[in-house]
Amino acid sequence: MKAEIKRFCIWDDHSQQFYPEDPEYFFAMVDMDIGPADSEGGDIFTLMVCTPRWFEENIMTSRPDEPTHETVRKNIFGRHYLFVHTYDEDEIEKEVQWIVDRVKGKDWGEIAPRLSRYFGWEYEDYNQYGGLPASF
C-alpha cells in the first residue's frame, strides 16, 4: 500500500495562509491530509517549518516579552520540524512528498505510524484497545 497527500496547506500562527515577510527568517505550520492512495479520505498530519535562524532566536533564547517561550537551553527536541534555509512552498511540499513516497506498508495501520516519525499525526498516541495511553 502507498500513501498520498490529499491536502497540503501552509499556515501562519493565526491560521491564515502563510506568506513570510522575510523568506530567510520565518516559522509556519504545514497542515496535511494524508491517506491511502486508493481512497478519498486521509488523516491529519502537521509539520513545523522554520529557518535555523528563526529557531535559534525564538526558541533557544530567552524572550521576556513572550512568556510562552522558554529560556536558553542547551538541548531541544526537534521532532516534527523541518528546517529550511529559505521559504519556498514548492520545495517544502517536495520534501514532504519525498517522505510520503518512501513510506510503505501492508496497510494504513503500518503506514500512518511510520509517517508520524516525521509529521505529527492526529492519532499518534491513540491506543485502539483503550483510547489514549496513560501519562508516563
Side-chain angles (χ1 to χ4, degrees):
M1 176 178 264
K2 190 174 186 256
E4 177 179 84
I5 300 171
K6 312 289 184 172
R7 183 179 59 85
F8 184 92
C9 298
I10 300 180
W11 305 102
D12 66 14
D13 56 353
H14 301 291
S15 299
Q16 301 296 315
Q17 189 71 30
F18 184 69
Y19 302 101
E21 289 181 27
D22 181 349
E24 295 181 356
Y25 183 84
F26 73 91
F27 169 85
M29 294 285 299
V30 177
D31 189 27
M32 305 167 278
D33 290 345
I34 303 174
D38 60 355
S39 74
E40 288 189 32
D43 293 349
I44 299 168
F45 290 84
T46 58
L47 177 67
M48 281 76 69
V49 181
C50 66
T51 58
R53 188 169 60 108
W54 183 94
F55 185 80
E56 180 178 21
E57 290 180 18
N58 288 274
I59 303 299
M60 299 294 290
T61 60
S62 178
R63 298 271 315 266
D65 58 322
E66 286 285 339
T68 59
H69 285 71
E70 298 185 20
T71 57
V72 176
R73 295 183 53 175
K74 287 185 178 185
N75 302 303
I76 300 287
F77 288 97
R79 190 166 187 213
H80 304 147
Y81 272 83
L82 173 63
F83 295 98
V84 297
H85 291 287
T86 189
Y87 181 80
D88 181 328
E89 186 171 347
D90 292 336
E91 284 298 314
I92 293 167
E93 189 169 1
K94 275 190 213 175
E95 287 297 319
V96 170
Q97 187 67 57
W98 188 85
I99 296 296
V100 171
D101 287 345
R102 278 150 188 77
V103 174
K104 296 185 178 42
K106 67 178 183 209
D107 58 24
W108 186 245
E110 279 189 6
I111 292 173
R114 290 177 182 162
L115 289 172
S116 75
R117 296 173 185 164
Y118 302 94
F119 319 124
W121 176 37
E122 67 178 315
Y123 298 113
E124 186 167 338
D125 291 327
Y126 185 78
N127 177 335
Q128 65 180 336
Y129 302 107
L132 292 173
S135 299
F136 58 92

